[in-house]
Amino acid sequence: MLQDKASHRAALRALRRQIPATHAAACAERAVKALVSDPAWKRAQTVGVYLDRDGEMPSQAFVQAARSAGKSLYLPVVRDDSAVFLLWNTEDKLIPN
């Protein structure tokens, strides 16, 4: 079962890497435009976010929109085999996990 999951994830990563960067950026911009028009976004004071890697949809436009709107951003952090979301300050040194 775990091997099937790992091979499935590897196949999806390979497909993501084939998406041209310009297309991925355009999709991210469209996603941000849709998100910021949502009433829940407008009410939110805090937002959980991930930083893209390995072909994932670029998150920089989302981060910029949240920062511009004065929202507090939280990043997932892995600690002792569990994940928690911690406040992300712009001066924080980020360490991949």
Side-chain angles (χ1 to χ4, degrees):
M1 178 78 158
L2 290 177
Q3 189 175 28
D4 290 341
K5 185 176 180 179
S7 62
H8 183 67
R9 284 183 158 184
L12 288 175
R13 269 194 300 277
L15 288 171
R16 280 196 317 256
R17 288 185 198 124
Q18 294 176 16
I19 298 170
T22 54
H23 181 72
C27 289
E29 287 292 334
R30 284 194 303 273
V32 167
K33 285 180 183 177
L35 179 67
V36 300
S37 68
D38 189 288
W41 168 264
K42 294 174 183 173
R43 289 189 308 271
Q45 296 176 345
T46 60
V47 179
V49 64
Y50 73 96
L51 300 180
D52 59 280
R53 57 178 230 133
D54 201 20
E56 294 173 334
M57 185 171 79
S59 58
Q60 190 58 36
F62 175 78
V63 169
Q64 288 175 339
R67 293 260 188 237
S68 294
K71 299 185 185 303
S72 297
L73 294 174
Y74 286 76
L75 289 172
V77 176
V78 176
R79 289 190 173 164
D80 300 323
D81 295 328
S82 65
V84 296
F85 278 81
L86 299 178
L87 180 62
W88 175 26
N89 295 304
T90 53
E91 64 274 358
D92 289 345
K93 180 181 177 186
L94 301 179
I95 300 168
N97 56 31

